[in-house]
């Protein structure tokens, strides 16, 4: 059963002229980064992610939000890409070699796709490795490590992670590129995402509407599962290497 689905998925990927991949926190789980909902442990156990990842939460309690992101930034800096990340980088190379289009759209802010050599990456929700100021968006390459939060050297405003918080619009260019890719791909691979956060969760449905094959890689079912072409039940680090030939 599973081997048969993996074989069908491999075939669809091999014959595709245009491939789009959407990833979520699940692909970084095997690198030791807890998924979004699992991340609320220890110091953060008393918070829902949506409570900390909003501009309102930052204005209400900037120190707690800054520290949460500082902890996640340190975790991301120590993490290494896993076999799942590497398989997607290899798939991009294989597509380039045969003249097929490839784009990787991620909801993750950990930077592990770039770290594993992927090139055509769209960070829909920003990156925890970048910092900017809250009032004017001035990028900051360095900051006072003891600041909680530190201040912008250009305007004195509080610094914040350069990620998209709930209630904030996504970077225009990123969302447009993702929607265009979903509308014209032959195959969309949805990897390690619960499909609960919009507008990212709509990309797979846009691809289905455009007639693409949608392949889901996830150890658990999601709201997308009943609609996909192939559901590969398992860990990204185990399944993705088997799809790339
Ligand atoms: C916006 C960055 C305009 C910060 C993030 C329509 C309907 C309802 C609500 C809305 C709507 N439109 C907008 C909203 C509001 C909101 C939203 O979607 N809310 C949800 C909670 C209902 N969306 C927004 O606010 C967006 N902005 O729309 O602006 C606007 C504004 C206001 C009102 C209207 C319009 C901004 C959303 C972006 C927020 N920022 N991240 C940070 O990281 O701190 S979202 C964040 O959560 C992640 O980036 C990701 O997107 C999401 C987490 O989801 P996943 O990545 O899927 O992770 P999760 O833990 O949920 O699941 C992991 C999965 O992996 C599981 O399925 C598991 O089974 C699987 N797994 C586990 N291990 C493995 C594995 N898979 C494979 N291998 C394994 N080994």
């Amino acid at each position: 059963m599973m081997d048969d689905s993996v074989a069908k998925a491999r075939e669809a990927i091999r014959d595709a002229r245009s491939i789009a991949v959407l990833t979520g926190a699940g692909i970084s789980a095997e690198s030791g980064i807890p998924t979004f909902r699992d991340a609320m442990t220890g110091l953060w156990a008393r918070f829902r992610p949506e409570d900390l990842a909003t501009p309102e939460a930052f204005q209400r309690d900037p120190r707690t939000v800054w520290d949460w992101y500082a902890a996640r930034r340190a975790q991301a800096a120590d993490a290494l890409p896993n076999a799942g990340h590497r398989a997607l980088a290899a798939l991009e190379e294989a597509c380039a070699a045969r003249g097929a289009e490839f784009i990787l759209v991620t909801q993750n802010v950990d930077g592990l796709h770039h770290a594993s050599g992927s090139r055509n990456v769209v960070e829909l929700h920003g990156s925890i490795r970048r910092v900017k100021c809250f009032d004017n968006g001035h990028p900051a390459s360095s900051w006072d490590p003891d600041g909680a939060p530190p201040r912008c050297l250009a305007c004195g405003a509080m610094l914040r992670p350069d990620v998209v918080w709930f209630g904030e619009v996504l970077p225009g260019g990123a969302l447009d590129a993702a929607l265009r890719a979903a509308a014209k791909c032959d195959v969309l691979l949805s990897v390690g995402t619960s499909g609960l956060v919009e507008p990212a969760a709509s990309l797979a449905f846009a691809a289905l509407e455009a007639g693409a094959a949608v392949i889901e890689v996830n150890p658990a079912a999601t709201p997308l599962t009943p609609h996909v072409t192939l559901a590969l039940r398992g860990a990204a680090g185990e399944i993705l290497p088997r799809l790339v030939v």
Side-chain angles (χ1 to χ4, degrees), residues 149-219:
R151 295 284 165 166
C152 173
L153 300 178
C155 69
M158 295 188 292
L159 293 181
R160 56 162 288 175
D162 186 7
V163 297
V164 179
W165 280 331
F166 289 96
E168 292 186 324
V169 293
L170 277 59
L175 184 55
D176 293 348
L179 289 168
R180 265 199 313 278
K184 71 179 172 69
C185 65
D186 304 321
V187 171
L188 184 139
L189 261 179
S190 178
V191 181
T193 183
S194 59
L196 299 175
V197 172
E198 294 290 354
S202 301
L203 291 171
F205 291 98
L208 283 168
E209 269 147 47
V214 171
I215 300 169
E216 183 179 52
V217 178
N218 196 315

Side-chain angles (χ1 to χ4, degrees), residues 2-98:
M2 177 61 152
D3 292 351
D4 180 35
S5 303
V6 168
K8 284 200 183 102
R10 210 176 19 242
E11 218 174 288
I13 288 167
R14 190 195 52 223
D15 301 343
R17 292 182 329 289
S18 175
I19 296 177
V21 181
L22 173 68
T23 64
I27 196 167
S28 294
E30 294 154 85
S31 294
I33 299 188
T35 61
F36 213 65
R37 270 138 251 297
D38 298 350
M40 309 320 288
T41 55
L43 283 179
W44 321 110
R46 58 195 167 85
F47 298 99
R48 285 177 329 124
E50 288 84 357
D51 300 339
L52 290 172
T54 66
E56 295 77 20
F58 185 67
Q59 286 170 308
R60 205 174 37 244
D61 183 353
R63 178 181 195 117
T64 298
V65 172
W66 177 266
D67 291 349
W68 184 48
Y69 282 96
R72 291 174 59 193
R73 185 178 303 113
Q75 197 176 48
D78 295 346
L80 294 174
N82 61 60
H85 296 106
R86 291 193 294 275
L88 293 178
L91 177 56
E92 181 174 9
E93 290 309 313
C95 285
R98 64 182 174 86

